[in-house]
Amino acid sequence: MQRKSLRFGKGFRVAFSVRRAQAAEMVLAPGDCEGDEDNRHRGADQWLYVVSGTGVATVEGRRVPLKTGTLLVIEKRERHEIRNTGRTLLKTLNFYYPPAFDGEGDPVGPGREH
């Protein structure tokens, strides 16, 4: 068993990984984005849950509005960008299957970005 209290400080932070899954928190300031038209995880699905804030996800060119309570699955190899379009922090909890990042937040293994 692993347990961690999430802080949701600015930026991307891996919480921990177990076997074939990983949890991470991501916080974007108003106007900031993560990813771009070439961002994708080669071998990992990303489950993104919006804890608070508003934004938009662009997945394979399709815009998806994000707000508190939204759950979005970005499948492996799908190009995507997450952008904060609101006036407050966009806080998300993300799960990767399999793990896509090391403890420093750098892409690793089969989930690494292409």
Side-chain angles (χ1 to χ4, degrees):
M1 176 175 78
Q2 291 189 44
R3 178 178 180 242
K4 184 167 188 164
S5 293
L6 302 178
R7 298 179 320 195
F8 289 100
K10 189 175 178 185
F12 180 85
R13 187 176 297 103
V14 172
F16 54 78
S17 301
V18 293
R19 291 183 300 280
R20 293 191 245 165
Q22 181 175 62
E25 53 187 285
M26 181 173 64
V27 177
L28 297 174
D32 283 356
C33 70
E34 180 68 32
D36 58 30
E37 65 275 354
D38 292 324
N39 179 50
R40 61 182 173 208
H41 308 292
R42 186 181 70 193
D45 293 330
Q46 177 181 355
W47 293 65
L48 180 145
Y49 177 76
V50 179
V51 175
S52 65
T54 58
V56 65
T58 303
V59 181
E60 289 294 317
R62 182 174 173 210
R63 292 173 54 91
V64 179
L66 301 174
K67 64 180 182 177
T68 301
T70 299
L71 177 62
L72 175 68
V73 178
I74 302 166
E75 296 185 54
K76 63 183 175 183
R77 296 188 198 86
E78 287 186 323
R79 288 178 171 84
H80 61 281
E81 175 189 84
I82 309 301
R83 180 174 299 276
N84 182 342
T85 59
R87 289 187 261 162
T88 62
L89 295 174
L90 174 61
K91 299 179 181 182
T92 66
L93 178 59
N94 300 269
F95 296 95
Y96 297 91
Y97 179 80
F101 300 94
D102 65 17
E104 302 300 315
D106 294 321
V108 296
R112 73 175 167 247
E113 295 178 18
H114 188 289

